[in-house]
Amino acid sequence: MSLSSSIALFAPSSPPRTFSSSHSTNNSNTLSSIRTPGTPTSTAATTTTATSSSYFTTRVMPSMSIPSTPVQQITGNNNVPPTNEGTPVSVRERQGSFGGSNKVKILKPFNTANIKILLLENVNETAVTALRDQGYQVEAHVKALPEDVLIEKIRDVHCIGIRSKTKLTKKVLEAAEKLGVIGCFCIGTNQVDLEVAAQKGIAVFNSPFSNSRSVAELVLAEIVLLSRQLGDRSREMHQGVWQKVSANCYEIRGKTLGIVGYGHIGSQLSVLAESMGMRVFFHDVVPLMPLGTSKQVHTLDELLELSDFITLHVPETEETKNMIGEAELAKMKQGAYLINASRGTVVQIPALAKALRSGHLGGAAVDVFPKEPAANGPFFESELVGCPNTLLTPHIGGSTEEAQSMIGVEVSQALIKFINSGTSIGAVNFPEVDLRAIRDEENSIRLCYTHMNVPGVLLRITNILAEHNVDKQFSDSKGKIAYLMADISDVTPEQIQEIYRRVSETPTNIVTRVLY
Ligand SMILES: NC(=O)c1ccc[n+]([C@@H]2O[C@H](COP(=O)([O-])OP(=O)(O)OC[C@H]3O[C@@H](n4cnc5c(N)ncnc54)[C@H](O)[C@@H]3O)[C@@H](O)[C@H]2O)c1
Ligand SMILES: O=C(O)[C@H](O)COP(=O)(O)O
């Protein structure tokens, strides 16, 4: 999809949206004091209508559209940043470099109760609570949704939270009319079409390391379980069979572990394995500092040939798809073990099943599969079922209370910061941009402009902002898109309208938001 067609997606037909500013009780401390200038302060609830023109060129999260009476202010005691009242947006006090207030302003979207968030796949309660505390409307589902239901649901939401099962493909993302941000409450982001998301101005966040320890611990346990054939012994006992054997059962002390992908998980595992007396080698596409006494080898083949255990910790990419097939398995030592807790597509399952049944491999532990059931229940099928000394687990590498709780906190904070303050730090598909906190003054705004990365944009924006006091501005690009944030002070409501209109009507516009 070209950028211009992505913009055209939001063209005509959409009627002006009406936003009620009746406020959520969850955020009463902050929101009840918000008023819309131009209306009496005592008016608790007002209704504003976005001008239809804003919909011809701009995708707008409701909070981010500029209402016809555009400025909301935080009044009274809310000038002080809240400490423990459910507004966990991190703010930095700024020493005023030139007169006026040096208190920071807590930016809020127009009306947080208008933000709709869809959470799928049993995202942790820590996230549900944090997002509801912001006043957002949160719909949480325990399971992934079938594609047709997902397409219907995603149409109307501003933010979606998923884990590894939900596929946010081009088809699904094209149905998303209001989506501004995606939270992957996991490490992997291969389930999202990151490029299409970026071109639609949708930032994607994940949790890069909150479940790494859980995966590393599981793999360490599996190394012991495989070398003692514990899966088979336990199954036999459950069937009433007593089978006391020591043949082909080993200690792991002194054995060689080969780690493919020495990132967050691989490197943690390296330390844990050495503490159990293993020798560790690893292969990675980038040169990395070996931890402990581990050593990096140049090629995958070298690693396959020298290791007693091979464990995979690479992301799913074009290069890692089918990385381990018949040829690679044949290079592994007779009786060696394979562990895969990365992504199902990294290993060719028929080849692995053959290597296990023939006795070439001594065993395998597999946590991830090319096709995984969408929900819990008796839906699992694989050629690996029934293979000797083969541990099969339902993608539970990162499924611990600790990991899920940390992921819930981390990703929800990233979403809140993006929605409320425009901060894209940590986004995986988006230029990473942030600004110091905005000063707590009336008539100051933050402009967040996602645009095509083509020459001439900054000149155009500078011309629009030329007559105004731009306190600070930062811009960065990534591939085809770029993102600019600018804090502007001393602007009247009319000027804000004008800035919004002119910026959102630039031909390079993807998404324009004004926060105040
Ligand atoms: N089973 C689970 O529940 C579970 C949990 C967490 C993560 N994961 C999966 O594990 C993967 C790895 O996680 P991580 O946090 O360690 O990621 P990471 O990004 O920190 O590390 C991945 C490493 O793989 C390397 N790499 C990439 N392509 C490679 C290639 N072709 N050959 C060799 N090395 C290559 C990278 O350079 C990097 O060092 C994730 O992408 C995710 O898919 C699974
Ligand atoms: O990418 C990840 O973090 C893992 O695959 C875990 O995914 P999950 O949240 O679906 O368990």
Side-chain angles (χ1 to χ4, degrees), residues 300-316:
L300 176 61
D301 283 358
E302 210 178 322
L303 193 75
L304 294 172
E305 283 160 19
L306 64 81
S307 302
D308 300 306
F309 294 82
I310 288 287
T311 183
L312 307 171
H313 299 290
V314 288
E316 182 186 88

Side-chain angles (χ1 to χ4, degrees), residues 164 186-190 207-209 211-212 215 218 260-267 283-286 288 300 312-317 319-320 323 340-343 367-368 395-399:
S164 62
C186 54
I187 290 180
T189 53
N190 58 295
S207 173
F209 41 75
N211 66 14
S212 323
V215 181
L218 179 74
V260 185
Y262 201 69
H264 290 109
I265 298 171
S267 57
H283 167 65
D284 201 293
V285 280
V286 290
L288 290 164
L300 176 61
L312 307 171
H313 299 290
V314 288
E316 182 186 88
T317 62
E319 291 71 42
T320 62
M323 187 183 208
N340 184 18
S342 61
R343 280 293 179 261
D367 187 46
V368 286
H395 201 147
I396 52 166
S399 297

